[in-house]
C-alpha cells in the first residue's frame, strides 16, 4: 500500500502503491472516505449514518425516533405507545384494544358483538332486531304490523279508529279478534 500525506489533501491510502486505486482518505476536517467495505470488530460511534443502500443488523436497534419515506416492516411484534397515521391501519388478524374512538364511521361486513350500544344518535338496522326487551322513555313507532301476545297499558291504547281507555278496559273482553 502507498501512503500519501499532503497539506491540503489530508491522508490517502492506495492499494499496491497504484495512484488510481484510492482506498481510504482522511480529510483535514476529520471525515473519512472509504472506497470499499468498512469493517469494525468493536463498536462504531458516530453522529449520523447516511446511506443510499441498506442498514442491516442482526441484533437490536435502539434509538429515539425512526423516520422513513417508505415502508416499515417487522416480522415480530411491534410494541409502542401510539400509532399516528394520516393514512390507514390495516390488519388481517384480530385487533385487540381498550377503546375505539373515531370521529368517522365504524364499518364491519361481519357480525359486531358487544355488550352495549350507547348512542346520542340513532341505531339503524335494515334486518330484524332480536332482543329480550325494548325499554324506552320515549315512543315506539312502527309502520308495519306489530305482533305480540299482550298489550298492557296504564294509559290509552289507540287501535285504528277505536279508542279504549283504562277506565273502560274492564268492560271490554274478548276471546277472539277485535276488528
Amino acid at each position: 500500500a502507498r501512503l500519501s500525506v499532503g497539506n491540503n489533501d489530508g491522508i490517502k491510502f492506495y492499494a499496491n502503491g497504484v495512484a488510481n486505486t484510492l482506498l481510504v482518505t482522511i480529510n483535514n476536517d476529520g471525515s473519512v472516505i472509504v472506497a470499499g467495505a468498512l469493517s469494525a470488530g468493536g463498536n462504531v460511534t458516530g453522529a449520523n449514518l447516511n446511506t443510499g443502500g441498506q442498514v442491516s443488523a442482526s441484533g437490536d436497534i435502539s434509538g429515539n425516533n425512526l423516520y422513513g419515506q417508505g415502508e416499515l416492516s417487522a416480522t415480530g411484534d411491534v410494541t409502542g405507545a401510539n400509532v399516528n397515521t394520516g393514512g390507514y391501519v390495516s390488519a388481517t388478524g384480530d385487533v385487540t384494544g381498550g377503546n375505539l374512538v373515531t370521529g368517522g364511521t365504524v364499518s364491519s361486513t361481519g357480525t359486531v358483538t358487544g355488550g352495549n350500544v350507547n348512542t346520542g344518535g340513532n341505531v339503524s338496522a335494515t334486518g330484524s332486531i332480536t332482543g329480550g326487551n325494548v325499554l324506552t322513555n320515549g315512543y315506539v313507532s312502527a309502520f308495519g304490523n306489530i305482533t305480540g301476545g299482550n298489550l298492557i297499558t296504564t294509559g290509552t291504547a289507540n287501535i285504528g279508529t277505536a279508542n279504549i281507555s283504562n277506565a273502560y278496559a274492564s268492560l271490554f273482553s274478548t276471546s277472539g279478534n277485535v276488528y
Side-chain angles (χ1 to χ4, degrees):
R2 185 177 132 224
L3 172 67
S4 170
V5 179
N7 288 338
N8 295 326
D9 294 338
I11 301 172
K12 296 182 179 188
F13 295 93
Y14 297 93
N16 300 323
V18 180
N20 63 352
T21 59
L22 180 62
L23 297 176
V24 177
T25 300
I26 302 173
N27 293 319
N28 291 334
D29 63 3
S31 61
V32 178
I33 300 171
V34 178
L38 176 63
S39 177
N43 293 332
V44 177
T45 302
N48 297 298
L49 174 62
N50 298 316
T51 178
Q54 294 181 346
V55 175
S56 176
S58 59
D60 294 339
I61 298 174
S62 178
N64 291 334
N65 297 295
L66 177 63
Y67 298 100
Q69 300 299 315
E71 182 177 291
L72 173 62
S73 178
T75 57
D77 293 341
V78 176
T79 302
N82 298 296
V83 176
N84 299 315
T85 177
Y88 295 103
V89 175
S90 177
T92 57
D94 294 341
V95 176
T96 302
N99 296 295
L100 175 62
V101 180
T102 179
T105 301
V106 176
S107 177
S108 172
T109 57
T111 302
V112 176
T113 303
N116 298 295
V117 176
N118 297 316
T119 178
N122 295 321
V123 176
S124 176
T126 57
S128 298
I129 298 174
T130 303
N133 297 295
V134 176
L135 306 173
T136 179
N137 290 329
Y139 295 103
V140 175
S141 176
F143 293 103
N145 294 330
I146 298 175
T147 303
N150 298 294
L151 174 62
I152 301 170
T153 180
T154 58
T156 301
N158 293 309
I159 303 171
T161 58
N163 186 347
I164 303 169
S165 68
N166 232 11
Y168 302 104
S170 63
L171 301 175
F172 192 86
S173 175
T174 182
S175 61
N177 295 327
V178 177
Y179 293 101

